[in-house]
Amino acid sequence: MDDSTGDLRDRPNFCSRLCTSLSQRYQLLLDQWTPYVTGRWVATVAFALIYLLRIVYVQGFYIVTYALGIYHLNLFIAFLTPKMDPALELDSDDEGGPSLPTKTNEEFRPFMRRLPEFKFWYSATKGIVIAFFCTFFEVFNVPVFWPILVMYFFVLFFLTMKRQIRHMIKYRYIPFTTGKPRMRGKEDTGAVVQGQ
């Protein structure tokens, strides 16, 4: 038996190398987009508008749009919710994990989200892309009376947001960074400090 056949079995095949190369390039592209928050969200909103124009044009696929709306609502709630739920922490004081400050003299801790902004954007965009491709297959065009879906979505949205806002008020946290104190170092005066 030749050693060259053993080397061929140990080497990854063409498909494996191609998939690895494509996933690395895709990850590089995502890494390059990470700092451009506004640009990413503008592109996502533009693609969502294109999706909505497609729905209006074909006059169908309302159930797909409803499912996309519910998915985006779940993502938004996870985006607004803290990583460590204060309701669970108050119930189990035995665990010494981090908590949100409840008094003005407590140490400032930044708000950590259950779903970070980048993952929120990525999942929302991925959901729009999947929903867009579903509109090209007639099997997903389930006949429904769309005004009922719209009304039900808004009722669900308002009830969910009401519960979330009550949770935010009860446990005194704000999921946005505007108006929060920021930790800063000393101001750089530009003066050169010389050793003695």
Side-chain angles (χ1 to χ4, degrees), residues 128-143:
I128 294 169
V129 168
I130 291 169
F132 188 78
F133 282 115
C134 285
T135 63
F136 291 102
F137 301 100
E138 199 60 34
V139 70
F140 296 112
N141 193 6
V142 179

Side-chain angles (χ1 to χ4, degrees), residues 53-69:
L53 287 174
R54 167 107 176 117
I55 295 301
V56 169
Y57 177 72
V58 297
Q59 294 292 311
F61 298 97
Y62 302 119
I63 200 77
V64 174
T65 306
Y66 176 73
L68 179 64

